[in-house]
Amino acid sequence: IPLVTYNMNAGIIRAMGNSRVPMQIQLVGGITNVIMDYVSIRYFGMGVEGVAWATMLSQGVAAVLSTLYLMKRDAEYQLQWKRVRISGYFA
């Protein structure tokens, strides 16, 4: 879910004509991943499982940051939770 959320948000941000912000958000996620990989292996001794959790955490960070960015926009692309709906139509 975090990966899909980030990718959808990044696509919307890029459609707005801004390709720098998704790259910066992914950079923060990547740095978070590297740091958490080191911490989980070095200090928690978790091995591969720790690396997997670190990846999930870093993707979550990227998803949250991209969602917050869209919520702060003053354009027609602004994310408004009260307008988010699940469509009942499946064709």
Side-chain angles (χ1 to χ4, degrees), residues 7-19 22 70 76-77:
N7 284 332
M8 287 182 5
N9 290 344
I12 293 168
I13 296 168
R14 286 187 193 104
M16 294 167 47
N18 188 344
S19 61
L70 286 174
E76 59 200 46
Y77 296 101

Side-chain angles (χ1 to χ4, degrees), residues 1-90:
I1 292 175
L3 182 61
V4 171
T5 301
Y6 167 75
N7 284 332
M8 287 182 5
N9 290 344
I12 293 168
I13 296 168
R14 286 187 193 104
M16 294 167 47
N18 188 344
S19 61
R20 184 172 291 181
V21 169
M23 180 190 66
Q24 292 170 337
I25 291 172
Q26 194 62 10
L27 180 65
V28 170
I31 291 170
T32 303
N33 191 16
V34 169
I35 292 170
M36 291 308 298
D37 284 347
Y38 180 76
V39 169
S40 67
I41 292 171
R42 173 82 175 169
Y43 296 107
F44 297 132
M46 295 177 71
V48 174
E49 184 179 350
V51 171
W53 281 108
T55 301
M56 290 294 295
L57 176 69
S58 67
Q59 288 298 323
V61 167
V64 167
L65 290 176
S66 62
T67 301
L68 289 175
Y69 179 83
L70 286 174
M71 289 174 66
K72 301 296 180 187
R73 301 308 313 157
D74 290 332
E76 59 200 46
Y77 296 101
Q78 182 183 27
L79 176 62
Q80 299 173 1
W81 285 109
K82 64 182 176 184
R83 297 183 68 188
V84 174
R85 302 281 184 263
I86 296 176
S87 175
Y89 175 76
F90 296 100

